[in-house]
């Protein structure tokens, strides 16, 4: 009987292992990173217990399911939508490149006019640094409001509105008389326009590309590099010809090109359309009844405000922040990183000119930084789209961020052109990898349907540190008179954020492996013995020779 029990346990174990689904196809929540280029997305669990049980499992989502929620606003197409991974998507990708060149790279060009603004408004370093700081902070802080507009009107209309706002803000900035007015026009209005153009341009790429998403994100991020390589030259030329006021007016006209880019960002074509007719009450004669008339303006305004509040609450993704531990860690690390990530770009030109370098050569440093990004980001996108990097995007991102932080210390060696050129190359190489993977890692962590809301919340969190970073650096320069302290501080901040992200994700994955190992049921291995079959003869042999005569033969007819 003991032999038969062991044999039965073996069959039970094999049957159990054959009936359990393990791997990417298993159902359940997931916090593990997956390759966005292959269309795998993850979702955080609802509570802490399920988070530990399901850590590391992945849920495979088809491209159609990823794009089922990508309808263009309330008036868009209902039903499933198909990501072409090409076709008109390449036109949309080119438009996104131009939008990112005109938005994300623009605040760094304010450094070209840094000295002129200080002289005309008689402002300190801290007061002047608020202009690019407010512009960058509003660019990120308007994320939830932008998500509401994208949900209601679609990516195309939102990008066009952003182009109008940014162009209007820069044009009005040329007529300001105080630094406070410049905060409102160039900071708030232009920054909000940048937000309305930038976020939908990134979001729509996730609907057009699934298999090539890592490559598309890397290519779109080259827009920032193109802006960094061209806008400093344009700003320096306009400054010499038209002064800063005329330059701001011309740059406002340049920013209107975002409207043209937004016009080509049409919705992804649905597989099928279904637009049910709106119900309307009629009287017996077939005419609209008096009850169907619109309510008063006050009631409509209250309804609109309540709908806006509900949309903002839905697009802030606080539930995702509380349930998805990986998203929580990533967003906190990125928020801390932004405190020192963009500050070197703002103070590089003032630092160089304050140490006797010509304005044109200082602008050339920013241009070289852009050219390095142009050369590195496309091959980086192709490289990180390979299957080997699936699930490793966050570690490559953290390693590049660590190199980026350490490169800031190079500026403390000297302010000569060769030293700053070395800094620009090292900073540009690491910045290329960071820019290529910033949104890819976020798409790995959250579902594509929640990506706009996650990006909106992340933008809000970033805006806090982006707002205070440059003014704090300017205050440090005002009190010490030394620019190198700014670069050393940025080095510590960015490097520490990289270490935090890398270590936290490693510990989460190790805990997930331990949970999976401990959750496997223990099964007793089968005892060695003969294979039993019906009607077989089994001889019981005693261990003591004296009892050999008492050997008994037992016939087993069933098991």
């Amino acid at each position: 009987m003991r032999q038969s029990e062991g044999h039965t346990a073996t069959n039970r174990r094999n049957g159990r292992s054959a009936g359990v689904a393990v791997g990417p196809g298993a159902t359940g929540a997931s916090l593990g990173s997956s390759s966005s280029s292959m269309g795998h997305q993850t979702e955080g669990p609802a509570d802490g217990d399920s988070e530990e049980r399901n850590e590391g499992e992945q849920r495979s989502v088809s491209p159609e399911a990823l794009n089922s929620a990508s309808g263009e606003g309330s008036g868009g197409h209902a039903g499933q939508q198909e990501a072409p991974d090409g076709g008109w998507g390449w036109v949309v990708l080119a438009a996104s490149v131009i939008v990112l060149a005109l938005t994300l790279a623009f605040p760094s060009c304010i450094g070209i006019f840094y000295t002129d603004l200080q002289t005309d408004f008689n402002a300190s370093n801290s007061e002047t640094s608020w202009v690019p700081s407010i512009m960058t902070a509003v660019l990120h802080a308007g994320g939830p409001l932008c998500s509401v507009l994208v949900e209601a009107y679609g990516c195309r209309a939102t990008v066009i509105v952003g182009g109008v706002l940014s162009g209007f803000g820069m044009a009005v900035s040329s007529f300001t008389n105080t630094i406070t007015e410049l905060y409102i026009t160039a900071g708030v209005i232009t920054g909000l326009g940048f937000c309305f153009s930038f976020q939908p341009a990134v979001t729509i790429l996730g609907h057009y590309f699934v298999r090539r998403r890592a490559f598309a994100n890397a290519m779109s991020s080259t827009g920032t590099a193109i802006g960094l390589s061209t806008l400093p030259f344009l700003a320096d030329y306009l400054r010499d010809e038209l002064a800063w006021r005329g330059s701001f007016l011309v740059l406002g006209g340049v920013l209107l090109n975002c409207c043209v880019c937004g016009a080509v960002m049409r919705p992804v074509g649905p597989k099928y359309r279904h637009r049910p007719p709106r119900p309307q009450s009629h009287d017996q004669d077939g005419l609209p009844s008096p009850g169907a008339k619109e309510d008063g303006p006050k009631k409509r305004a209250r309804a609109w405000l309540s709908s806006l509040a509900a949309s903002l609450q839905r697009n802030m993704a606080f539930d995702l922040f509380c349930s998805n531990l990986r998203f929580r860690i990533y967003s906190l690390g990125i928020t801390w990183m932004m405190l020192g990530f963009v500050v070197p770009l703002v103070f590089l030109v003032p630092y160089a000119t304050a140490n006797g370098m010509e304005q044109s050569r200082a602008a050339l440093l920013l241009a070289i930084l852009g050219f390095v990004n142009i050369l590195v980001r496309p091959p980086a996108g192709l490289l990180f789209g390979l299957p080997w990097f699936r699930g490793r995007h966050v570690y490559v991102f953290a390693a590049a961020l660590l190199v980026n932080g350490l490169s800031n210390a190079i500026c403390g060696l000297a302010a000569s052109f060769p030293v700053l050129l070395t800094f620009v190359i090292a900073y540009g190489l690491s910045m290329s990898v960071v820019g290529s993977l910033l949104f890819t890692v976020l798409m790995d962590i959250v579902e594509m349907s929640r990506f706009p809301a996650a990006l909106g919340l992340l933008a809000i969190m970033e805006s806090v540190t982006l707002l205070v970073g440059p003014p704090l650096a300017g205050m440090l320069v005002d009190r010490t008179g030394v620019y190198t302290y700014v670069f050393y501080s940025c080095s510590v901040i960015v490097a520490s954020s990289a270490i935090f992200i890398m270590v936290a994700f490693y510990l989460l994955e190790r805990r997930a492996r331990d949970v999976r190992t401990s959750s496997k049921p223990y099964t007793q291995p089968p005892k060695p013995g003969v294979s039993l079959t019906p009607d077989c003869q089994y001889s019981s042999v005693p261990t003591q020779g004296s009892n050999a005569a008492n050997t008994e033969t037992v016939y087993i007819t069933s098991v």
Side-chain angles (χ1 to χ4, degrees):
M1 293 300 294
R2 296 182 63 182
Q3 294 288 341
S4 63
E5 289 175 0
H7 184 68
T8 306
T10 304
N11 293 333
R12 188 185 304 114
R13 182 189 58 178
N14 295 333
R16 179 180 179 87
S17 61
V20 176
V22 180
T27 58
S30 170
L31 290 175
S33 298
S34 61
S35 175
S36 60
S37 62
M38 299 302 294
H40 297 296
Q41 298 298 332
T42 60
E43 183 181 41
D47 54 10
D49 296 336
S50 60
E51 180 179 320
E52 293 183 358
R53 289 194 304 267
N54 299 321
E55 188 93 37
E57 296 180 0
Q58 296 177 339
R59 176 166 53 185
S60 178
V61 181
S62 63
E64 292 80 1
L66 284 173
N67 293 277
S68 60
S70 61
E72 284 293 305
S74 58
H77 307 302
Q80 289 182 336
Q81 300 194 350
E82 182 178 4
D85 273 296
W88 189 257
W90 299 120
V91 180
V92 175
L93 177 60
S96 299
V97 169
I98 298 175
V99 169
L100 266 66
L102 295 176
T103 56
L104 292 184
F106 194 89
S108 62
C109 298
I110 302 297
I112 303 295
F113 310 100
Y114 197 89
T115 306
D116 296 332
L117 296 178
Q118 277 186 304
T119 303
D120 281 15
F121 296 119
N122 194 20
S124 62
N125 284 284
S126 178
E127 292 173 339
T128 308
S129 61
W130 278 105
V131 177
S133 176
I134 294 175
M135 181 184 296
T136 309
V138 174
L139 189 156
H140 292 80
L145 180 59
C146 181
S147 298
V148 173
L149 294 179
V150 169
E151 181 182 352
Y153 304 106
C155 294
R156 173 190 286 175
T158 307
V159 173
I160 293 175
V161 171
V164 173
L165 277 179
S166 57
F168 173 76
M170 285 304 297
V172 174
S173 298
S174 62
F175 302 100
T176 55
N177 297 318
T178 62
I179 192 70
T180 305
E181 294 176 356
L182 197 63
Y183 293 160
I184 299 174
T185 56
V188 177
I189 298 178
T190 305
L192 193 62
F194 286 163
C195 176
F196 290 170
S197 298
F198 147 70
Q199 183 172 324
V202 175
T203 301
I204 199 170
L205 290 179
H207 301 319
Y208 268 93
F209 295 92
V210 174
R211 291 185 296 105
R212 299 189 179 103
R213 183 171 293 159
F215 175 74
N217 285 331
M219 288 299 298
S220 67
S221 65
T222 58
T224 306
I226 294 174
L228 287 174
S229 60
T230 56
L231 289 179
F233 283 130
L234 178 61
D236 187 60
Y237 172 77
L238 294 175
R239 174 182 173 274
D240 294 337
E241 297 293 331
L242 304 174
W244 73 268
R245 294 185 182 273
S247 301
F248 277 25
L249 185 61
V250 173
L251 291 174
V254 173
L255 293 176
L256 291 176
N257 287 282
C258 291
C259 301
V260 181
C261 297
V264 304
M265 296 180 181
R266 66 189 186 192
V268 180
K271 287 187 173 181
Y272 57 88
R273 299 181 182 180
H274 176 66
R275 288 188 178 183
R278 292 184 177 180
Q280 187 178 18
S281 58
H282 299 273
D283 56 13
Q284 296 179 355
D285 297 331
L287 299 176
S289 61
K293 295 182 180 180
E294 295 183 353
D295 297 324
K298 292 184 178 180
K299 191 172 183 179
R300 291 200 305 271
R302 287 196 299 268
W304 185 83
L305 289 176
S306 61
S307 176
L308 177 63
S311 299
L312 285 174
Q313 184 178 4
R314 183 172 61 257
N315 287 284
M316 285 295 287
F318 283 118
D319 58 331
L320 195 63
F321 183 82
C322 296
S323 61
N324 194 328
L325 182 58
R326 291 179 181 267
F327 174 67
R328 185 159 66 246
I329 292 173
Y330 185 69
S331 57
L332 291 176
I334 296 300
T335 301
W336 177 248
M337 175 201 76
M338 286 299 178
L339 184 62
F341 186 73
V342 300
V343 171
L345 300 180
V346 176
F347 285 90
L348 179 61
V349 174
Y351 173 54
T353 54
N355 287 274
M357 188 179 296
E358 297 179 358
Q359 185 81 19
S360 59
R361 300 195 74 186
L364 179 61
L365 292 173
L366 287 178
I368 294 174
L369 177 64
F371 284 123
V372 171
N373 279 261
I374 292 176
L375 295 176
V376 175
R377 292 201 184 198
L382 291 174
L383 178 64
F384 300 139
L386 296 177
W388 187 86
F389 288 97
R390 193 178 307 161
R392 298 181 174 94
H393 288 148
V394 66
Y395 297 108
V396 179
F397 173 82
L401 193 61
L402 179 61
V403 174
N404 184 272
L406 297 178
S407 66
N408 292 321
I410 299 176
C411 292
L413 300 178
S416 61
F417 187 82
V419 174
L420 294 183
L421 179 61
T422 305
F423 158 72
V424 164
I425 294 175
Y427 187 93
L429 291 174
S430 57
M431 181 185 180
S432 301
V433 180
V434 171
S436 299
L437 295 177
L438 180 63
F439 301 120
T440 302
V441 174
L442 183 59
M443 291 178 181
D444 288 345
I445 295 174
V446 302
E447 284 186 342
M448 192 59 216
S449 60
R450 300 301 308 277
F451 176 76
L455 183 60
L457 179 60
L458 180 61
I460 282 284
M461 298 174 64
E462 290 175 353
S463 64
V464 178
T465 51
L466 286 170
L467 180 64
V468 301
L472 288 177
M475 187 182 303
L476 183 61
V477 174
D478 289 335
R479 294 192 176 184
T480 62
V482 181
Y483 280 93
T484 54
Y485 292 159
V486 172
F487 294 97
Y488 287 142
S489 301
C490 294
S491 180
V492 174
I493 291 172
V494 177
S496 61
S497 65
I499 295 173
F500 168 74
I501 294 176
M502 185 181 299
V503 173
F505 273 81
Y506 172 76
L507 293 177
L508 283 179
E509 291 196 358
R510 191 177 69 174
R511 188 184 68 175
R513 289 194 300 267
D514 295 340
V515 169
R516 288 196 301 268
T517 303
S518 60
S519 61
K520 292 182 179 180
Y522 174 76
T523 56
Q524 185 177 3
K527 296 182 179 181
V530 296
S531 299
L532 301 179
T533 58
D535 297 331
C536 67
Q537 181 175 342
Y538 175 77
S539 297
S540 179
V541 182
T543 57
Q544 297 180 0
S546 59
N547 296 328
N550 297 328
T551 301
E552 182 181 10
T553 301
V554 180
Y555 288 89
I556 300 177
T557 59
S558 63
V559 179

